Amino acid sequence: MKALDIKLLRDLRTMWSQALTIALVVASGMGGFLTSLSAVDSLAAARDEFYAQGRFADLFATVKRAPAALADQLRAVPGVADVQTTVERIVRIQLDGNTDPVLGQLIGIDRRQPPRLNLVSVVAGRALFPPGEAEAASPGDGGTLDALVSAGFARMRGLKPGSTVGALVNGRHRRLRIVGIGMSPEFIFAGLFGMPDQRGFGVFWVDQAALAAAYDMQGAFNTLAVRLAPAGARTVSEREVIDRLAGPLAPYGGAAPRPRDQQISHAMLDNEIKEQRVLGTVLPAIFLGVAAFLLNVVVSRLVATQREQIAALKALGYRNRTIAAHYLKLVGAIVALGGLLGVALGHWLGQAFLGLYAEVFHFPHFPHRMDPSLVVIAGGLTALTAVAGTLAAILATVRLTPAEAMRPPAPGGFRRTLAERLGFTRMSPALRMVLRNMERRPLRTATGIVGVAAAVAIVVMGNFFRDAIEVIVDAEFSLKMRSDVSVWMTEPVDDRVSLQLARLPGVLAVESSRFLSATLVNGHRQERVQVRALPDRPDLHRVVDVDNRPVAPRGDGLLLTDRLADKLGLRVGDPVHLTLTEGSHREFTLPVDGLVRETMGLNAYIRRDALNQAMGDGDLSSGFVLSLERGTEAAFLAATQALPRAAGAFSKATMLRNMQEVTARNILIISGVLTIFACVIAVGVVYNNARIALAERAWELASLRVLGFTQGEVTALLLGEMALVIAVALPLGMLLGWSLVHLITVLLKSDQFFFPVVIRPRTYALAAVAVLAAALASAAVVRRRIHGIDMVSALKTRD
C-alpha cells in the first residue's frame, strides 16, 4: 500500500465522526433525488406499460343517446384508427350492513364484440364472460348481474370474487355479483370530482346488453373512445380530428371529444409526476449545496493543519497534482460512503413511496424501478458538487512552496467587532471573544448560518403541504360546501323538485344549481369546462377565493377562475363565446363579469336565472344541495332512493372522511421524512463547525483553563458561537422556507390544482424545535470532547 494511501486511512480514522455526518448529508441529498425521480420513473413506466397493454384511447366523448351505426361514420374520419362505443351509467351502490352513500359507474362490455380499447385487466377472480356461458339475465328480469369491480374500491370495501352488492339501476334495486377484480387504464386514478375517494366511488364492468336493456339503450351508446392513427401515419392533427368528430356527435347531444390530457385519471397521474419531478430536483439541490459547503470547510481545515506534512511530501518529491489527488481521494471516500448510503436510502424510500402511490393509482404491475442511469446521474452530480466545493481549498494549499508551507500560518488579525464599532461596548469578555472569532472567519460563519437555515427551510417546506391541504379542505368543505348532502339528477328537471326534496326527513334548507358542459372560445383559444349555475345569493354552496372570501356571480355574465381567464386571454368585460351541450347544442356570447382565484380546477360560474334565460328552456335545475338536521342524514339518503330521476347523492361528511383516510396519512409521512432529512443537515452543519472550531482553538481553550476558567465557562465560550449561528439562522431559515414555498407553488401550479401559500405558526415552531433538538444533540457530543481536552498536549506549540 502506498504511503499516501496509509495516510488517507489514518486521516479518515481520525475524523470518522465528521466524515460520517457529511456522508449522511450527501446520502440525504442523493437519496432524496433517487427517491423522487425513481418514483417518477416507476409511475411513468407503469403508466406507459399499462396504456400500451390496455390500448388506452386518445379521445373521449359522451352523448345523450346515439345510434350504434354512428360508429362506422366516425371510424371513416381521417386520422381515426378505431372507435369503441359503450353504455355507461352512474348508479347508487348499496353495501350490505353499511349506510354510507356510495356511487358506482357501470360500464357495459359487449360479449359479442370484445373491447378493443380501454381493456380491463383481471387481477383476481375470472373474466366477465367465461367461454361458453349462456346469455346473462338482464336487470329488467330481476336477475343478478355479474360484474367486475375496480381494484381500489374492492380493497377499501373488502370485496372479493363471490361478494354481492346492491345497485339502484334506473330506479330498480338489483344485485351485482362480483366475479372478478379488474383494472383499466381509464381508472388508474378513480374518485369523485378529482378527489381520492375510493371508499365512496367504484367502477363496475357489466354485460352491456343487460345494461342497455335497463336504460332502453339497445342499439345505442352514450360514451365513445377513439384511438388515433400514429402521428407519422396521419395527415391531420389531433385538433383537426376532434373538430371533424364534433359535427356528427352534435345532433346527439355530444360535445367535441376530450383529448387524453383532459381525461381525469390521466390528468391526475400526470400532475403527480410533475410534482415529484419538481420536488426531486429542488430538494436534493439544497442538500448537495450544503454538503459542498461542509466538505469545503472540513477539507480546508484538514489541509491547513497538515501544512508541515504537505511541505515534507513536496520535499520528498511528490508533485502538486499527486498531493491534490490525495486530498481529492479523501473527499471521494466520504462522497462514496454517502453515495452508497444514498442509493440504499433511495431504493428503500422509493419502494415505500410506491406503496403510498399504490393506494391511489392502480396498475396490474407496479414494481419499483431505479434506472442505472439515474444512479449514475445522481452520483455524478454529487461527485461534481463535492469536487467543486473543495478544489479551491486543496489547490490553494498544495501550491505553497515547501519553505512557506513549513512555517505556521500567519496569526489572524483581530480588531474591534462590528457591535463594538456601532457603540455596543458593554458586553462580557466571553461574548466579545465569540463575536471576534466569528468576524475573523466570515465564510465559515456564513456557511454555518446558511446550512442551519437550509435545514429550517426544508422543515417549513415539508410541513407546508400539510398546512396547505388543511386550508384547502377547510375552504372546500366548510367555507365553500356548507351543505350536508348533495343530490344530482339524471337530467335537468323543473326546479319545483326542490320543494319535493324540502319535504324529505330532516331537510332545513335547499339550494338549486345547474351544471352544463361548455366550450369557451376566445379567438383561436378554447377550453372545455363545466359551467355551474348558482342562485343569486348562494349560501349552501359558495364560490370562495384563496383568501377565503366568498365571491358570487353577478349580472348576466360569467365568473371565471383566473387561470381559465389567462388560458383564454380574457379580462373582465371581454365577451366569450359558449357552446353548451344539453339535448341539442346552444351557442351564445356572454361577457366576463368577474375573476376569482380558486385552488382547484378551471371553473366558470353564472347565475342560474341568467343561464336559464339564455338557454330559453324554463326554470331548470340539475343539482341540489341541502342542509339537514343533525342525525337525520341516513334517513334522508334512504328517502332519496325513491326519487326516480335522482342519479345519486353523497354526504359531505362521508366524502371528507374517505378522502382524509389516505391523504392525511400520506402528507404526514412525507413531512416526517423531510423533517428527518432536515435534522441530518442541522447535525452535519452544527457538529462539523463545532468540531473544527474545537480543533483550531484547543490551545486557546487550554490556556483559558490554566488561567482559571472553569470547564463550563470554556464550553460556553465555544458553544456560544454555535448558539449565535443558530439564533441568526432560525429567522433566516424561516424566511428562506417562505421563499422556497413560493417557488414550489409556482413550479407546481397546474390546471387541476394550485397550492395557496399558507404556513401556520406551528410549522415555524416545529422547524425551530427540530433544528434546536439536532443542535443540542451535536452540542452534547462536542461538550464531551471539550471536557476531554489534554491541556498538556494542547499547550505544546510548534517550533
Side-chain angles (χ1 to χ4, degrees), residues 660-683:
Q660 289 181 325
E661 188 176 78
V662 174
T663 303
R665 186 199 60 195
N666 290 357
I667 290 293
L668 186 62
I669 291 174
I670 293 172
S671 299
V673 170
L674 290 178
T675 300
I676 292 172
F677 280 178
C679 289
V680 169
I681 283 186
V683 169

Side-chain angles (χ1 to χ4, degrees), residues 731-754:
L732 179 62
M734 293 175 185
L735 178 61
L736 181 61
W738 180 86
S739 303
L740 185 60
V741 164
H742 275 78
L743 173 64
I744 291 293
T745 55
V746 170
L747 294 176
L748 294 182
K749 186 177 180 180
S750 68
D751 292 347
Q752 288 77 31
F753 213 71
F754 171 70

